[in-house]
Amino acid sequence: MGSSYYADQNLIPYPVPGVLDLPESQSSLEPENLEYDVVGNDPAWISGPVLEMSRDWNAIEAVIGGTQYLRDNYEILLPQEPREDAEAHMRRVYHAVMSPFTVRIAEQAASLILRKQIQLTSRNQDAEVDPYWEEWKENVDGLGADLDTYARRVVISSLLFGHAGTLVDYPNPGDIPNLQAERDLNMRPYFIHIDAKQILGFRRLNEIYPSQPISQIRINELISEAEGAFGDRILRQIRVLENGKYCIYRRRFNSADGKGSNNNYEEDSGGWVRYAEGTTSLDTIPLSITYSNKVGELISKPPLLAIAHLNILHTQRSADLSHSLHVASQPVLVLKGWTDTESTIGLSVNKAILIPPDGDAFYVEPASSAFEAQQSFITQLEEQMSSLGISTLFSQKMGSETAASKRLSRTDSDSLLSVVSKNLEASLQLAFDYAAKYVGIESPLVQISRDFDLQQLDGNQTSSYMQLWMNGAISQELLLQMLKEGEVLPSVDINEEIEKVENEKDQNMGLLPQDYSPAEEDRNMVDSVGDVERQQQRRDIKEELP
């Protein structure tokens, strides 16, 4: 049986999308009047490795936030130019749009890794997976997400931030006598997705030896709790996990702010109170990590960081070009020899301007070559992002490209996809093992396909395989296997198909009795009775003849 800090299942707080942004320095987290000698007791303390990684997360946060993040942080991403007035600056900001190049690359990479459904197999050869897991994988997070949907979320987060975690939790069973009674209540483990930026810090059993396992992890969370008949409130909490136990910290409430106070909270230093604590049925921290660019334990670098920086530069140059086109689309009227007055000049087809004999009137507009240079630079940035991205997503060819050329062009992308795929498989396997310990059922084996090739067999390739089989160069089993991998055939059991084909051949040759439908059997019975009656009629006619 497992344990969690939620005793009433009707009051389980749910996670709020969008985790709190990390500060640029630890000092911004320190509460007022905090003494230096108690800094180490603040559960929200951000450790050095996390602060180091957060510097790279700034660019990732920008491209994830998109246009809204750009407008909220325009002073940094689109600063005001010298001699640019405030109104013109804000027009330039709100004309800018951030294209989702980086996020789209991560999404497409996740689609390649999980293009085939995750398979669960039994640990015992020729045995079936326990029906419990077949049902459980349809809702792994308790919020309705199936295993493939949840895994896609983890992969995208891992590709963007460098790693992502899966925390395996279990409802608090309370005073339940045995495991069967717990199952009767339909309690089940569930996955919680943990972004890399949610992990505030971690410790080892012995900091001197890096090979020691992690003994403490602090996770930053936002949750929503019901308040009153219809309302709710968002709370920040720190979940501290250690081997076999947990602790929950929440911000201390002040009765003067209208939120009230809880005298049952045990006060702790650093502006936090210990909200809940207890033990779990596991002797380890049930957190599995999926890495895309691992540097160390719980330390990584975003593999798409270079593309994120180019994405931001692309947005800045696009904003300049868009604003320039907006301004330059209205040419300036020049009146030569015109006496300037305070009266407004009206321009229309029904009005004329009187100018002196030596005067002139014409429009001035910038040369188009200036805009072409800016557009050429933006195009180059897009090409750089394409070349730095996963080549499979941008350079897929269905023509006469040689197999060797395809393999060479796919080396880098396949290696990245393979690394993430292997880490995801190991991470999900560990998460299933944790869930199995909670419920006391043997965990299945998690298998993720390594086939990232989007190349499907075309008509000529299919004909070539058919010709090889007809000439006896390959077996029927290999032919069907190649057609299945080339996505010409659906996902079928090859051995079963071969057996069906052999049976059909034997039936056509009369070696096996043919199976008929009930309607066909009735027709055959009627025909048989008719044949007997006709033969009897022939015998009767022969007897009547002289």
Side-chain angles (χ1 to χ4, degrees):
M1 292 186 290
S3 61
S4 177
Y5 58 90
Y6 301 130
D8 189 346
Q9 291 303 296
N10 296 321
L11 298 178
I12 293 181
Y14 58 88
V16 178
V19 184
L20 288 173
D21 294 332
L22 290 177
E24 294 183 0
S25 64
Q26 175 60 41
S27 59
S28 60
L29 268 187
E30 296 175 4
E32 297 181 1
N33 303 322
L34 180 63
E35 299 294 337
Y36 181 79
D37 58 351
V38 297
V39 167
N41 294 328
D42 186 356
W45 180 265
I46 300 179
S47 63
V50 176
L51 280 175
E52 190 70 25
M53 289 187 290
S54 66
R55 294 189 177 94
D56 294 333
W57 294 341
N58 291 332
I60 300 298
E61 284 289 339
V63 297
I64 292 177
T67 302
Q68 189 59 49
Y69 186 97
L70 173 68
R71 293 173 179 175
D72 292 341
N73 300 272
Y74 67 89
E75 294 180 350
I76 297 175
L77 298 177
L78 289 175
Q80 187 174 4
E81 300 291 345
R83 295 180 175 271
E84 183 181 24
D85 60 64
E87 293 184 359
H89 179 215
M90 295 309 300
R91 283 197 300 270
R92 181 162 61 90
V93 169
Y94 280 90
H95 287 163
V97 175
M98 181 173 289
S99 300
F101 289 108
T102 309
V103 176
R104 185 58 177 158
I105 289 175
E107 292 174 347
Q108 291 179 329
S111 298
L112 280 178
I113 294 172
L114 298 171
R115 61 189 296 262
K116 295 185 178 180
Q117 191 175 23
I118 299 176
Q119 300 295 323
L120 300 181
T121 60
S122 175
R123 293 179 179 272
N124 301 322
Q125 191 174 6
D126 299 331
E128 298 292 335
V129 177
D130 193 298
Y132 177 87
W133 298 116
E134 292 292 347
E135 178 185 359
W136 187 82
K137 74 174 184 178
E138 300 300 324
N139 182 13
V140 298
D141 62 352
L143 301 175
D146 58 33
L147 180 59
D148 291 271
T149 302
Y150 176 82
R152 174 180 170 82
R153 191 190 315 160
V154 172
V155 170
I156 293 176
S157 177
S158 176
L159 285 169
L160 290 173
F161 292 100
H163 66 276
T166 295
L167 178 64
V168 186
D169 205 353
Y170 194 86
N172 191 342
D175 297 329
I176 296 179
N178 52 53
L179 183 60
Q180 184 59 44
E182 182 178 332
R183 292 179 181 174
D184 293 340
L185 293 176
N186 198 25
M187 290 186 176
R188 47 187 287 166
Y190 55 92
F191 291 168
I192 302 176
H193 174 223
I194 305 296
D195 278 326
K197 61 179 183 177
Q198 287 184 253
I199 301 177
L200 300 179
F202 50 90
R203 279 186 174 181
R204 304 178 188 276
L205 290 173
N206 190 333
E207 295 293 344
I208 300 178
Y209 300 101
S211 60
Q212 292 292 321
I214 301 296
S215 59
Q216 183 193 85
I217 296 178
R218 290 176 290 113
I219 300 175
N220 183 33
E221 296 177 319
L222 285 180
I223 61 172
S224 176
E225 280 192 345
E227 186 172 22
F230 309 105
D232 59 1
R233 62 178 179 178
I234 308 301
L235 300 175
R236 181 189 180 189
Q237 70 178 24
I238 307 298
R239 188 193 303 228
V240 182
L241 300 175
E242 297 181 1
N243 296 332
K245 59 182 180 179
Y246 67 89
C247 187
I248 304 297
Y249 290 88
R250 289 187 180 176
R251 278 291 188 186
R252 181 188 298 113
F253 292 147
N254 187 345
S255 58
D257 61 11
K259 294 182 179 180
S261 61
N262 190 335
N263 295 328
N264 295 327
Y265 286 0
E266 180 181 346
E267 293 194 1
D268 209 320
S269 57
W272 296 86
V273 292
R274 186 179 294 110
Y275 174 74
E277 62 181 347
T279 60
T280 67
S281 57
L282 304 183
D283 57 357
T284 185
I285 300 176
L287 180 68
S288 61
I289 304 297
T290 300
Y291 295 94
S292 61
N293 190 14
K294 184 176 182 179
V295 176
E297 195 69 22
L298 291 177
I299 303 175
S300 64
K301 290 186 68 68
L304 303 180
L305 181 60
I307 300 176
H309 286 303
L310 289 176
N311 199 161
I312 295 174
L313 180 58
H314 177 275
T315 300
Q316 294 169 334
R317 298 290 77 82
S318 296
D320 292 342
L321 177 59
S322 176
H323 184 67
S324 299
L325 291 174
H326 172 72
V327 174
S329 61
Q330 303 295 329
V332 179
L333 176 63
V334 178
L335 298 176
K336 184 179 179 181
W338 176 263
T339 301
D340 189 14
T341 63
E342 294 183 356
S343 59
T344 303
I345 300 176
L347 299 178
S348 71
V349 295
N350 299 320
K351 294 184 178 181
I353 299 177
L354 297 178
I355 58 177
D358 57 345
D360 194 6
F362 54 89
Y363 283 100
V364 174
E365 59 182 359
S368 61
S369 58
F371 305 123
E372 293 175 356
Q374 288 188 4
Q375 183 60 57
S376 175
F377 180 70
I378 293 175
T379 302
Q380 291 178 9
L381 289 178
E382 294 173 353
E383 292 175 352
Q384 289 182 42
M385 285 187 285
S386 175
S387 62
L388 286 176
I390 299 180
S391 61
T392 308
L393 306 179
F394 300 96
S395 304
Q396 196 62 251
K397 299 178 181 179
M398 296 296 290
S400 58
E401 187 181 13
T402 65
S405 177
K406 293 178 183 178
R407 286 194 299 269
L408 289 175
S409 64
R410 295 173 56 84
T411 300
D412 291 338
S413 62
D414 275 6
S415 63
L416 174 60
L417 295 177
S418 180
V419 167
V420 179
S421 176
K422 291 177 181 178
N423 270 275
L424 176 64
E425 184 178 271
S427 175
L428 291 178
Q429 183 64 66
L430 183 58
F432 267 87
D433 293 342
Y434 288 144
K437 291 181 180 179
Y438 279 128
V439 297
I441 301 177
E442 184 181 42
S443 63
L445 294 177
V446 180
Q447 294 181 345
I448 298 178
S449 174
R450 301 288 191 272
D451 180 17
F452 313 126
D453 197 349
L454 287 178
Q455 294 283 354
Q456 299 179 355
L457 291 180
D458 55 25
N460 294 332
Q461 292 172 322
T462 303
S463 299
S464 299
Y465 281 118
M466 290 293 296
Q467 191 65 39
L468 289 173
W469 173 66
M470 294 173 63
N471 294 337
I474 60 175
S475 64
Q476 183 183 11
E477 181 179 0
L478 179 58
L479 171 66
L480 295 178
Q481 182 67 30
M482 297 305 297
L483 295 179
K484 179 181 177 181
E485 292 180 358
E487 300 187 359
V488 177
L489 293 178
S491 180
V492 297
D493 190 322
I494 294 177
N495 295 327
E496 184 178 345
E497 289 299 315
I498 294 176
E499 184 178 355
K500 289 180 179 179
V501 171
E502 294 298 331
N503 290 338
E504 290 178 358
K505 289 181 180 180
D506 293 339
Q507 289 176 355
N508 294 333
M509 296 177 63
L511 299 178
L512 290 177
Q514 188 171 0
D515 295 331
Y516 295 103
S517 64
E520 291 175 333
E521 290 180 355
D522 292 340
R523 287 195 297 270
N524 294 337
M525 181 64 70
V526 172
D527 293 340
S528 299
V529 173
D531 292 340
V532 173
E533 292 177 351
R534 283 191 291 273
Q535 290 178 0
Q536 183 64 36
Q537 290 175 359
R538 293 192 189 97
R539 286 194 294 268
D540 294 342
I541 293 173
K542 288 181 180 180
E543 292 177 356
E544 294 176 359
L545 291 176

